């Protein structure tokens, strides 16, 4: 088997109020062309760039979150090339003093933990946008010119597309958690470049790097990224199997099916004639500044997932809550509310988790694990059905905890719990607790055996056919339980009903 050797370059737009080197607003998506521009970002002679401090700090924060070393003395450089979307004739970027180096992202893959190395992370400015009109003419929109960009370059550590997509998704989570960007690919906020070659079957599993590299630029979604990997794998494998030598080249996307086409042979860095940007003084990053940025980092996805698993959630529940950041934050409040109720201050830190686990161990059931099912199933389901946003939910964390407890303690049935949730979503019972609703609506399960026996007798009389099939197949008893639940309007305790029926059919006859 030929083995892919894959490295990624990721460009991500930093969400800021203004552009990287001027005061033009940075929110030009779908705005009228050339309305968010000034002499700096269209490269008029004499215009001077001033670096955006906030963008700089966001890059330091991301570098820290990716475990990079921070370069203490850094600077900007000019990368010279001529292209219509680059009005100055050069791009301001960082060449030999990238802000961050030697980082990594750690990912759990089918039980294995794997580290993917980050070679470098640096800041630069985005280019303008060329709009081509069917070979007739090209127009340029400079709104995007000068938007702050972070470029991340990984080591060629990926050997299949599962690793690549897991990495891309985790990186997007980290970016969202830190608040650098919403990570919306359809808006071009994250773009990927793929570097790919193949190890021969003899080289597979080794760390040998092939003597060529194919670069595919401007991939705007994770699904297209996967398709490009499939396409390139077959294309390169075919060439190698036919004894062809592959030369390093840059290829472009032909279409969204992942097919690529030749663009040009690769430039080396000599071609860009890099030199220090003379209009921006070098920048020193002090330890205090780094610590300030470090302190502002939130809990990150990998840690968050670890904590969810420690609290007893299933792997895919944890993955969901990590990926859907807002839903995760809503559920975090439920966890905190639960522990407040037993007078324990819960935080997502190790000592607190250890104590929390101890508390949960001594309970008859795990309320957090049980609540997440109600939250992810019914609550989010109703929310979607009724197109309600999470911040406008008509129920709170205590409601979900109470529903869970009432059902687990046999006070109400799951069906009634669903009805209550539905009513709450229809804005009934506003301001009431679950206990109050259950009491006022008289929804408590009927645990009175004499009342249950009346319903059971009635159900047996009316359904002799089911009784007969119960004698052949004891599982048919579920159908009779259903009949009793109907007669009791859902309020008979189903466990007691099942007991009463089996006593009647199998013992008393
Ligand atoms: Zn500007």
């Amino acid at each position: 088997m030929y083995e892919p050797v894959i490295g990624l370059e990721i460009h991500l737009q930093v969400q800021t109020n203004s552009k990287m080197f001027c005061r033009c607003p940075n929110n030009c998506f779908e705005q009228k062309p050339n309305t968010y521009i000034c002499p700096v970002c269209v490269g008029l002679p004499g215009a001077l760039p001033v670096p955006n401090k906030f963008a700089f700090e966001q890059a330091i924060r991301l570098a820290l979150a990716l475990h990079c070393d921070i370069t203490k003395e850094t600077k900007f450089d000019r990368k010279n090339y001529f292209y219509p979307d680059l009005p100055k004739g050069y791009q301001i970027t960082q060449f030999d003093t990238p802000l961050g180096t030697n980082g990594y992202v750690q990912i759990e893959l089918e039980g294995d933990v794997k580290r993917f190395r980050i070679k470098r992370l640096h800041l630069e400015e985005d280019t303008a946008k060329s709009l081509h009109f069917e070979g007739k003419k090209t127009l340029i929109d400079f709104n995007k010119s000068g938007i702050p960009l972070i470029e991340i370059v990984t080591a060629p550590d990926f050997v299949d597309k599962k690793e690549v997509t897991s990495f891309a998704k985790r990186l997007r989570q980290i970016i969202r958690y830190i608040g650098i960007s919403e990570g919306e690919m359809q808006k071009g906020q994250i773009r990927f470049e793929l570097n790919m070659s193949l190890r021969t079957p003899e080289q597979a599993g080794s760390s040998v790097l092939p003597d060529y590299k194919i670069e595919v630029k401007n991939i705007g979604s994770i699904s297209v990224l996967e398709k490009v990997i499939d396409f390139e794998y077959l294309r390169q494998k075919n060439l190698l199997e036919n004894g062809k030598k592959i030369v390093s080249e840059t290829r472009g996307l032909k279409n969204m099916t992942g097919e690529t086409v030749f663009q040009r042979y690769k430039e080396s860095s000599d071609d860009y004639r890099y030199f220090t940007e003379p209009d921006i003084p070098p920048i020193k990053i002090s330890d205090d500044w780094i610590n300030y940025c470090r302190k502002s980092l939130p809990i990150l996805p990998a840690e968050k997932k670890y904590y969810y698993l420690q609290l007893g959630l299933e792997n895919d529940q944890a993955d969901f809550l990590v990926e859907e950041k807002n839903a995760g934050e809503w559920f975090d409040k439920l966890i905190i509310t639960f522990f407040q109720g037993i007078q324990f201050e819960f935080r997502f830190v190790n000592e607190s988790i250890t104590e929390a686990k101890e508390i949960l161990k001594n309970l008859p059931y795990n309320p957090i694990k049980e609540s997440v099912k109600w939250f992810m199933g019914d609550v989010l389901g109703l929310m979607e059905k009724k197109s309600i946003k999470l911040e406008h939910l008509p129920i709170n964390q205590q409601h979900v905890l109470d529903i869970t407890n009432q059902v687990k303690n046999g006070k109400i049935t799951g069906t009634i719990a669903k009805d209550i949730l539905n009513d709450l979503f229809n804005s009934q019972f506003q301001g009431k607790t679950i206990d109050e609703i259950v009491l006022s609506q008289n929804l408590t399960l009927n645990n009175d055996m004499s009342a249950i026996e009346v319903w059971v007798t009635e159900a047996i009389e009316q359904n002799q056919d089911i009784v007969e099939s119960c004698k052949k197949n004891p599982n048919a008893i579920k159908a009779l339980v259903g009949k009793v639940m109907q007669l009791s309007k859902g309020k008979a305790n189903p466990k007691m009903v099942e007991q009463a029926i089996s006593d009647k059919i199998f013992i008393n006859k």
Side-chain angles (χ1 to χ4, degrees), residues 19 21-25 36-42 145:
K19 290 186 181 178
F21 298 113
C22 62
R23 292 184 176 184
C24 291
Y36 286 61
I37 57 172
C38 74
V40 175
C41 54
V42 296
S145 175

Side-chain angles (χ1 to χ4, degrees), residues 107-122:
I107 296 171
E108 324 77 45
L109 288 155
E110 282 139 25
D112 262 5
V113 175
K114 208 171 158 183
R115 261 184 198 188
F116 300 102
R117 290 169 297 161
I118 306 282
K119 287 210 292 208
R120 54 180 287 153
L121 176 154
H122 71 255

Side-chain angles (χ1 to χ4, degrees), residues 57-340:
E57 284 179 350
Q58 291 294 64
I60 297 178
R61 294 173 79 227
L62 182 58
L64 291 170
L66 300 179
H67 311 279
C68 288
D69 301 328
I70 304 293
T71 305
K72 298 286 187 64
E73 293 193 23
T74 184
K75 64 183 171 65
F76 285 97
D77 302 280
R78 289 188 181 179
K79 179 183 185 181
N80 298 281
Y81 63 97
F82 179 76
Y83 205 70
D85 64 13
L86 193 68
K88 295 194 290 289
Y90 59 84
Q91 180 190 30
I92 305 179
T93 177
Q94 295 189 292
F95 180 51
D96 51 351
T97 59
L99 203 54
T101 54
N102 296 321
Y104 65 87
V105 172
Q106 192 161 298
I107 296 171
E108 324 77 45
L109 288 155
E110 282 139 25
D112 262 5
V113 175
K114 208 171 158 183
R115 261 184 198 188
F116 300 102
R117 290 169 297 161
I118 306 282
K119 287 210 292 208
R120 54 180 287 153
L121 176 154
H122 71 255
L123 255 177
E124 58 187 34
E125 56 178 340
D126 209 345
T127 57
K129 187 177 177 185
S130 308
L131 303 146
H132 305 287
F133 293 90
E134 312 272 320
K136 284 181 194 148
K137 58 182 176 185
T138 295
L139 298 178
I140 316 259
D141 174 8
F142 288 97
N143 281 350
K144 189 164 79 72
S145 175
I147 285 180
L149 277 189
I150 293 175
E151 180 176 325
I152 300 162
V153 183
T154 77
D157 286 351
F158 308 95
V159 295
D160 60 41
K161 77 183 169 187
K162 176 103 186 85
E163 292 186 351
V164 173
T165 52
S166 308
F167 173 88
K169 284 180 188 162
R170 175 55 56 82
L171 184 66
R172 187 173 59 183
Q173 287 170 347
I174 293 173
I175 290 161
R176 287 178 177 163
Y177 271 60
I178 301 182
I180 286 187
S181 124
E182 283 147 11
E184 289 194 39
M185 301 198 170
Q186 65 277 25
K187 289 190 183 172
Q189 292 174 342
I190 307 182
R191 275 124 52 194
F192 294 97
E193 246 172 77
L194 182 79
N195 284 301
M196 180 164 162
S197 48
L198 296 184
R199 285 189 188 109
T200 60
E202 302 78 55
Q203 294 167 334
S206 74
S207 56
V208 175
L209 290 180
D211 60 358
Y212 73 94
K213 198 159 73 173
I214 301 299
E215 187 180 271
V216 185
K217 285 190 179 276
N218 259 322
I219 304 171
S221 84
I222 292 178
S223 62
V224 175
L225 190 59
E226 284 185 291
K227 290 175 190 158
V228 172
I229 294 172
D230 287 340
F231 177 85
E232 277 299 312
Y233 183 80
L234 287 177
R235 190 184 72 84
Q236 295 179 24
K237 179 169 159 269
N238 258 329
L239 288 170
L240 293 173
E241 278 174 352
N242 289 315
K244 300 256 168 59
K245 185 170 165 48
I246 305 181
V247 182
S248 297
E249 62 185 37
T250 299
R251 298 178 70 85
L253 268 187
K254 191 176 168 196
N255 50 41
M256 292 302 148
T257 62
E259 198 175 325
T260 65
V261 284
F262 173 80
Q263 279 185 334
R264 58 179 180 269
Y265 293 108
K266 266 186 83 67
E267 295 94 353
S268 73
S269 63
D270 296 347
D271 298 332
Y272 291 120
R273 302 288 189 272
Y274 281 99
F275 64 87
T276 302
E277 165 61 59
D279 290 334
I280 302 174
I283 296 168
K284 280 195 177 164
I285 306 176
S286 67
D287 288 337
D288 284 349
W289 199 9
I290 295 174
N291 284 333
Y292 165 80
C293 292
R294 196 189 299 278
K295 277 195 191 134
S296 72
L297 285 179
I299 178 169
L300 295 168
E303 269 178 290
K304 197 65 172 290
K305 181 172 174 184
Y306 168 78
Y307 289 139
Y308 284 140
L309 295 177
Q310 293 294 306
L311 290 171
L313 301 200
E314 302 290 341
N315 194 53
D316 35 345
Q317 293 169 338
D319 278 341
F320 174 84
L321 293 176
V322 168
E323 175 68 24
E324 300 296 324
K325 185 168 169 261
N326 294 336
E329 283 171 358
W330 197 96
F331 193 74
D332 291 351
K333 285 195 195 128
L334 181 143
I335 298 174
I336 289 163
T337 306
F338 166 73
F339 284 111
Q340 266 168 2

Side-chain angles (χ1 to χ4, degrees), residues 385-479:
K385 203 167 130 198
K386 303 205 177 274
S387 321
I388 298 175
K389 286 198 164 167
L390 202 59
E391 54 270 31
H392 301 129
L393 274 192
I395 60 162
N396 59 33
Q397 285 79 2
Q398 192 66 52
H399 282 132
V400 178
L401 274 170
D402 288 347
I403 289 262
T404 304
N405 289 331
Q406 294 257 13
V407 175
K408 284 308 281 185
N409 293 329
K411 289 200 178 139
I412 57 174
T413 60
T415 318
I416 285 180
K418 281 174 194 283
D419 289 346
I420 296 176
L421 281 175
N422 213 8
D423 289 345
L424 281 165
F425 268 82
N426 289 329
S427 315
Q428 294 183 38
F429 310 128
Q430 266 174 8
K432 288 202 168 152
T433 66
I434 298 293
D435 286 2
E436 285 165 354
I437 297 168
V438 169
L439 270 181
S440 68
Q441 302 297 303
N442 191 21
L443 298 172
T444 315
L445 277 187
N446 197 325
N447 292 324
D448 174 359
M449 201 40 147
S450 56
I452 288 174
E453 276 174 348
V454 174
W455 286 315
V456 167
T457 311
E458 194 179 338
I460 287 179
E461 275 169 12
Q462 288 171 3
N463 299 284
Q464 277 302 315
D465 49 333
I466 306 182
V467 175
E468 283 312 308
S469 47
C470 281
K471 290 173 183 161
K472 293 182 205 112
N473 172 16
N475 276 332
I477 204 168
K478 299 273 184 251

Side-chain angles (χ1 to χ4, degrees), residues 374-387 425:
W374 284 101
F375 175 61
M376 282 173 60
D378 294 83
V379 175
L380 293 185
L382 282 165
M383 186 180 104
E384 202 169 304
K385 203 167 130 198
K386 303 205 177 274
S387 321
F425 268 82

